[in-house]
Amino acid sequence: MPGSPLLMWALAALTASVAAYCLARACAAGPRRAADCGAELVEAAMALGMAAMAAPPIAAAAPREAWYAVFGGVLALALVFVVRAGGRLGAWRHHAHHVVESGAMVYAVAAMPVAGMAAMDGMRMDGPSGPAPALVLPLLLYFAGYAAWSGTRVMGAHPRTAPLAGCRTAMAVAMCAMLAAM
């Protein structure tokens, strides 16, 4: 991955397509499914932010503060949904995953060298300069496990729900790729 613009563009295209799918699902959600619509918007914002971060020209031009705003905003929204999920375990777990996902992206931004984004060279980092570089491995293991788990759900999914499971798998794989580049 490091130094491979083609791979970065592929990652950008993958996450942008996930964002488009999530936005389409959010627009299709009726008023009865307002909570689902919010979850789709969180997923779309996360995927769109990852797509922008993976696209070399955008990544090089955007200041660090912009990435903090994008992923910090998604993190705050995901936390709101965790609280609103209350005792509904399935909803709580799903939104908690979004908290971990957006928190990992905030961490990735914090871990980038100060010269940061302009020197990304395909997301290659010269080592985390931010807090706790030891978080990379646990996060990588979490997202690899989530990708494997959600990947098995794609195989057994109903044709109507398989694309959603595929999107979740794609996002977990994208997170693994970004974390592995650290």
Side-chain angles (χ1 to χ4, degrees):
M1 174 149 178
S4 173
L6 181 61
L7 192 52
M8 293 309 297
W9 280 112
L11 187 61
L14 174 70
T15 52
S17 63
V18 169
Y21 178 76
C22 290
L23 282 174
R25 281 181 52 90
C27 291
R32 293 178 293 136
R33 294 183 42 218
D36 292 341
C37 179
E40 295 296 340
L41 291 175
V42 167
E43 290 175 348
M46 184 69 192
L48 196 56
M50 288 176 67
M53 191 176 225
I58 298 171
R64 182 185 297 242
E65 292 77 19
W67 301 116
Y68 278 129
V70 168
F71 297 117
V74 173
L75 176 60
L77 192 55
L79 285 168
V80 167
F81 281 107
V82 163
V83 171
R84 287 181 59 197
R88 297 173 303 152
L89 186 59
W92 186 90
R93 258 192 328 235
H94 181 70
H95 296 304
H97 169 73
H98 291 151
V99 169
V100 173
E101 189 174 52
S102 52
M105 290 306 294
V106 169
Y107 166 74
V109 171
M112 289 182 181
V114 176
M117 306 312 233
M120 279 178 62
D121 188 30
M123 288 294 291
R124 179 167 169 68
M125 300 177 195
D126 296 328
S129 61
L135 286 178
V136 173
L137 184 59
L139 287 170
L140 188 57
L141 292 173
Y142 170 82
F143 287 107
Y146 190 87
W149 173 78
S150 61
T152 62
R153 295 182 60 114
V154 172
M155 293 182 273
H158 183 277
R160 189 173 48 95
T161 59
L164 180 59
C167 285
R168 291 179 179 158
T169 303
M171 286 296 289
V173 169
M175 287 298 300
C176 285
M178 288 187 168
L179 289 165
M182 293 178 71

